[in-house]
Amino acid sequence: MSVTKLRAVLVAASAAALLFVADSELRAQRADHWVGTWATAVVVRPQGPAAAPATAPEGSACAPAVFGPAPGRGGPAGGGRAGFTPPAPLNFKNQTLRQIVHVSLGGDRLRVVLSNAFGTVPLEVGAAHVALREKDAAIQTKSDRPLTFGGRPSTFIAAGAVAVSDPVSLTVPTAADLAIDLYLPGDTAASTSPLTTHQGALQLNYVSADGNHAGEPDFPGAATTQQWFFLARVEVAAPEQAGAVVTFGDSITDGTRSTPNTNNRWPDELARRLAAQKIPLGVLNEGIAGNRVLCDGAGVSALARFDRDVLAQTGAKYVVVLESINDIGIGRSNAVPSADDLIAAHKQLIERAHAHGLKIYGATLTPFDGAAYFTSEGEAKRQAVNQFIRSGKAYDGVIDFDAAVRDSAGPSKIQQKFNPGDNLHMNDAGYQAMAGAIDLGLFKASGRATK
């Protein structure tokens, strides 16, 4: 055989080998069973002055979301302070974000889902990396993996869309911290396009000086923020029997008043309990502080966001609903929203979950006597909603958070040992008590994943 022919044969063989490897990788990706291991509920961060809310129709349940004291009651005001100027909203220009997330379910392959849900123009991501976090802003260097999108190291995320990264091989232990780096070459302040964020991350994240620092071992001199930007979820390739629990709620699910940087929200504690019992379920926290079921305000209403924040979650089998206390509290002593209004909304969530094959569990509303927006009329509504959840037989199961944290001497109040001082949220011990009240047998029942 001539040298020329030999070279041609070798080139053809090499090409065939590369095609075989590429085809094998593609088939492996198609065979992967993807499950969410971490998620957050995104909200809009307007650029410039926020638009005035639309006027609700007369008799509507959608009263303005004012969090100051009820008339005649003491308590912390929710409005601004005299002489106080809020800081300018955070924007990015030729900078890299290093954002820390705490996963629930482990795996040996992962992918990251970015979100431009509220953007009105495409979002440019110049580079993205993922790594195991070492400490603070430092990463475990050998674990660093560049992320690609359709094989490309950068991407534009269309307005209102998400971008799913290509899978990377990385062994992620259960309950690990990941560092997700996003290099944003543009100037987010140069546009009126809102940013897609999660305000109450309770996690320190890092903003670099100028330039692309994705994948660098550390972020010396970085600024910090307790918000997540442009992140939707992290998914791992998991065994077929694995799935995810979506915890859907307001600030009590979001973990308000828990200790920052410690992952002591009740969904975090639930994830630890599931892992200890070797129940292969990721836990996805879709709580938004201030969220309501019927009305927009802090995030779009629970009814409006259910598709994005629950039904679209990869591998979801179960959903736990803890929502309505803000509808009740903001309504004060008004007749609307009534308990029947809220019960009808819960029934809508149940029907939509069942239509997608999810099991859906109702969590009773925790006490709020002493909170800034408490009224006796609101307490009556809370009791009525809890009665529906406990005995209405519409939910597939009940998680009685109310019973776990209420004061036996005054059942309209939280036990003092769980009260961080606002009479509404929990401290770390309170969130642990909530998670401890969950019957893990609820998650051993068969449930069908959505995808």
Side-chain angles (χ1 to χ4, degrees), residues 42-45 115-120 159-161 193-197 300 308:
V42 294
V43 300
V44 62
R45 208 292 301 282
S115 178
N116 190 24
F118 297 101
T120 55
S193 175
L195 304 190
T196 299
T197 182
V300 297
R308 177 179 62 234

Side-chain angles (χ1 to χ4, degrees), residues 315-401:
K317 291 185 176 183
Y318 309 95
V319 55
V320 177
V321 177
L322 177 58
E323 281 262 20
S324 291
I325 201 65
N326 288 318
D327 299 76
I328 291 170
I330 293 168
R332 304 296 178 100
S333 57
N334 296 320
V336 291
S338 68
D340 286 344
D341 293 334
L342 295 169
I343 289 167
H346 279 255
K347 288 179 177 178
Q348 286 289 312
L349 299 179
I350 293 166
E351 289 298 323
R352 289 161 67 185
H354 286 166
H356 286 260
L358 275 71
K359 288 188 176 294
I360 182 166
Y361 302 133
T364 54
L365 306 179
T366 51
F368 74 125
D369 191 349
Y373 58 20
F374 178 83
T375 62
S376 57
E377 293 87 351
E379 174 63 9
K381 293 177 190 179
R382 184 181 78 91
Q383 294 292 349
V385 171
N386 281 352
Q387 178 65 18
F388 160 74
I389 292 170
R390 289 188 179 108
S391 60
K393 298 183 179 179
Y395 279 108
D396 296 312
V398 177
I399 297 171
D400 203 342
F401 286 152

Side-chain angles (χ1 to χ4, degrees), residues 403-422:
V405 301
R406 70 189 178 210
D407 187 340
S408 58
S412 63
K413 297 182 178 181
I414 301 165
Q415 293 182 52
Q416 276 306 111
K417 65 181 180 180
F418 299 147
N419 190 348
D422 65 1

Side-chain angles (χ1 to χ4, degrees), residues 37 103-109 170-176 236-239 281-282:
T37 183
V103 305
S104 49
L105 192 66
D108 58 7
R109 283 161 61 79
L170 177 63
T171 299
V172 180
T174 299
V236 292
L281 291 172

Side-chain angles (χ1 to χ4, degrees), residues 112-116 121-128 147-159 161-166 181-186 230:
V112 176
V113 182
L114 308 180
S115 178
N116 190 24
V121 299
L123 173 72
E124 182 181 5
V125 178
L147 295 175
T148 57
F149 303 85
R152 298 179 177 183
S154 61
T155 189
F156 280 88
I157 309 174
V162 299
V164 182
S165 78
D166 300 326
D181 292 353
L182 301 179
Y183 169 53
L184 305 174
F230 312 118

